[in-house]
């Protein structure tokens, strides 16, 4: 072998030799690097982390890296691929809860890196933040509210039920539990970052999906949004991420400058009025609520139809736990098979290709 090919082989061999003679950068070394480089107030990893059930520290991964990996490999996370973001039966190019979680993680880690926060913790919270969602999107919360004395919120449900078996660190669970703006503020900087990243991501990508589906047109956007954020997702994310990063650097807290925050609020308001609460979306939500409530009622009345691991004395809690974990398609299939629902009664997709 001659020329560039031979040079590449030699370079590759040299690189392998350097790797083989060096020591891997283990958990303790990365913990020390975090302590020396992260901003004041950032959450530091240490040992096995603060968990409900004590564990032995991992030799390679920090506690928050370990949490991130557990979430990625969990059943609850995988099922997000089959759960509604905005519309049921999404086309190949529309978001699901899984793609939303990945986009929130991208926004959150970009901000965390820029301001010197703990990237692994921000990523873990972002990837897990929606694991408590039931099938059919936010409508499932209203559906399940009727069966639980304290109601159903996807943040606490994700932390306390859907991901409970993972024994995650308390900081990760707090960020997941409190990422919604209707909840108390997260206790960590990284949790606050994810709370902003969630709003940034869904405002931008839900608009993009709606434009692609023909639900709204770019020319309908409020002038403030166009002037400050632009029309496309890429431009919007850039402006919004830079605003949070700059505000954190200038003021030492997670937030946005007033003008950008006003533009984001205007975009969110536009999405609510033109996408989430349009007649077709409301009809979809009502169909979701009806089918999920029928399923929960069926399992309350027929507890032996539940898988054995879900059966316990609180029939309502058992039924909600099982149905909340379903993907959209599995829930709708169960309604047809067990309850005799016809396809015409089930929730329908929205937009082109639905």
């Amino acid at each position: 072998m001659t020329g560039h090919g031979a040079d590449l082989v030699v370079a590759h061999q040299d690189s392998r030799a350097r790797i083989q003679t060096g020591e891997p950068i283990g958990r303790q070394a990365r913990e020390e690097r975090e302590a020396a480089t992260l901003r004041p107030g950032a959450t530091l990893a240490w040992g096995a982390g603060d968990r409900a059930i004590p564990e032995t520290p991992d030799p390679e991964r920090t506690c928050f890296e370990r949490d991130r990996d557990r979430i990625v490999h969990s059943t609850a996370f995988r099922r997000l691929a089959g759960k509604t973001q905005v519309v049921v039966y999404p086309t190949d190019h529309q978001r699901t809860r899984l793609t939303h979680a990945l986009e929130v993680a991208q926004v959150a880690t970009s901000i965390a890196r820029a301001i010197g926060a703990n990237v692994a913790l921000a990523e873990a919270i972002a990837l897990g933040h929606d694991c408590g969602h039931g099938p059919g999107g936010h409508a499932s919360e209203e559906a399940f509210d009727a069966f639980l004395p304290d109601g159903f919120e996807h943040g606490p449900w994700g932390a306390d039920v859907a991901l409970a078996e993972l024994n995650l660190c308390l900081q990760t669970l707090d960020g997941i539990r409190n990422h919604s703006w209707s909840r108390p503020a997260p206790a960590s900087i990284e949790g606050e970052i994810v709370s902003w990243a969630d709003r940034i991501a869904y405002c931008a990508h839900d608009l993009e999906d709606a434009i692609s589906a023909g639900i709204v047109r770019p020319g309908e956007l409020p002038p403030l949004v166009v002037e400050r954020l632009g029309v496309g997702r890429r431009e919007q994310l850039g402006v919004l991420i830079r605003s949070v990063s700059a505000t954190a650097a200038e003021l030492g807290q997670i937030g946005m400058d007033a003008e950008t925050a006003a533009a984001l609020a205007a975009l969110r308001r536009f999405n609510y009025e033109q996408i989430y609460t349009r007649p077709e979306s409301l009809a979809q939500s009502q169909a979701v609520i009806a089918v999920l409530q029928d399923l929960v009622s069926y399992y309350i009345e027929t507890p032996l139809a539940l898988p054995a691991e879900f059966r316990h004395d609180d029939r309502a809690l058992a039924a909600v736990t099982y149905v909340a974990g379903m993907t959209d398609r599995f829930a709708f299939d169960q309604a047809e098979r067990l309850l005799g629902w016809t396809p015409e009664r089930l929730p329908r997709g929205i937009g082109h290709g639905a």
Side-chain angles (χ1 to χ4, degrees):
M1 183 180 297
T2 59
H4 292 299
D7 292 340
L8 287 172
V9 170
V10 171
H12 179 62
Q13 291 172 340
D14 289 346
S15 175
R16 288 183 60 189
R18 288 195 298 273
I19 292 171
Q20 289 169 355
T21 58
E23 290 294 328
I25 303 174
R27 170 187 55 80
Q28 289 182 302
R30 290 208 298 287
E31 289 174 354
E32 292 170 1
R33 185 167 59 189
E34 283 184 1
T37 60
L38 294 188
R39 66 179 290 130
T43 307
L44 300 180
W46 52 273
D50 192 0
R51 305 180 189 273
I53 302 173
E55 298 182 3
T56 302
D58 187 274
E60 288 83 30
R61 296 170 296 171
T62 70
C63 57
F64 301 131
E65 291 169 347
R66 209 173 183 184
D67 280 2
R68 176 199 58 205
D69 294 347
R70 288 180 183 182
I71 291 167
V72 166
H73 290 282
S74 69
T75 300
F77 182 75
R78 291 197 302 276
R79 285 177 178 162
L80 294 180
K83 295 194 177 189
T84 297
Q85 171 59 23
V86 174
V87 297
V88 297
Y89 302 118
T91 66
D92 289 345
H93 302 289
Q94 291 172 330
R95 270 76 175 184
T96 65
R97 282 286 157 193
L98 179 63
T99 55
H100 166 67
L102 294 173
E103 292 186 42
V104 173
Q106 183 274 315
V107 174
T109 55
S110 293
I111 295 170
R113 288 191 188 98
I115 70 171
N118 193 307
V119 174
L121 175 57
E123 186 176 19
I125 295 170
L127 292 172
H129 83 282
D130 268 357
C131 283
H133 261 297
H138 282 282
S140 64
E141 295 184 292
E142 184 176 344
F144 299 143
D145 272 344
F147 301 97
L148 302 176
D150 298 325
F152 183 99
E153 291 184 78
H154 71 276
W157 190 269
D160 302 332
V161 180
L163 299 172
E165 66 181 7
L166 303 185
N167 194 35
L168 300 174
C169 293
L170 299 187
Q171 296 90 338
T172 306
L173 292 173
D174 171 79
I176 293 170
R177 186 179 294 112
N178 296 315
H179 72 272
S180 295
W181 287 34
S182 59
R183 297 281 304 166
S188 67
I189 288 176
E190 293 78 11
E192 292 185 52
I193 288 171
V194 173
S195 186
W196 277 97
D198 182 33
R199 181 163 291 201
I200 289 169
Y202 75 68
C203 283
H205 68 51
D206 288 355
L207 174 66
E208 183 177 62
D209 277 355
I211 291 173
S212 177
I215 295 171
V216 298
R217 295 188 299 273
E220 298 171 347
L221 281 169
L224 175 60
V225 173
V226 176
E227 293 165 7
R228 182 62 183 170
L229 305 181
V231 174
R233 168 188 48 81
R234 181 177 181 179
E235 183 181 1
Q236 290 170 352
L237 290 181
V239 172
L240 293 165
I241 289 170
R242 285 191 293 271
S243 175
V244 176
S245 301
T247 300
E250 180 181 354
L251 303 179
Q253 61 187 28
I254 308 304
M256 285 183 182
D257 64 90
E259 185 178 353
T260 305
L264 177 61
L267 174 56
R268 185 171 182 268
R269 187 164 53 251
F270 175 84
N271 285 358
Y272 265 88
E273 294 171 354
Q274 303 299 322
I275 303 171
Y276 310 140
T277 60
R278 64 198 299 269
E280 293 88 344
S281 298
L282 293 176
Q284 174 185 280
S285 295
Q286 291 305 310
V288 167
I289 291 168
V291 70
L292 295 184
Q293 290 188 338
D294 273 10
L295 278 173
V296 172
S297 297
Y298 170 81
Y299 287 115
I300 290 173
E301 296 164 4
T302 319
L304 292 180
L306 289 168
E309 63 268 27
F310 288 91
R311 299 174 198 163
H312 53 75
D313 293 339
D314 189 332
R315 290 189 179 188
L317 180 60
V320 169
T321 301
Y322 182 51
V323 177
M326 293 179 176
T327 62
D328 296 359
R329 195 167 299 278
F330 183 74
F332 303 155
D333 287 348
Q334 291 296 90
E336 289 189 68
R337 186 176 70 85
L338 299 175
L339 310 178
W341 275 58
T342 61
E344 292 74 23
R345 292 183 63 197
L346 292 169
R348 302 174 63 86
I350 297 172
H352 297 325

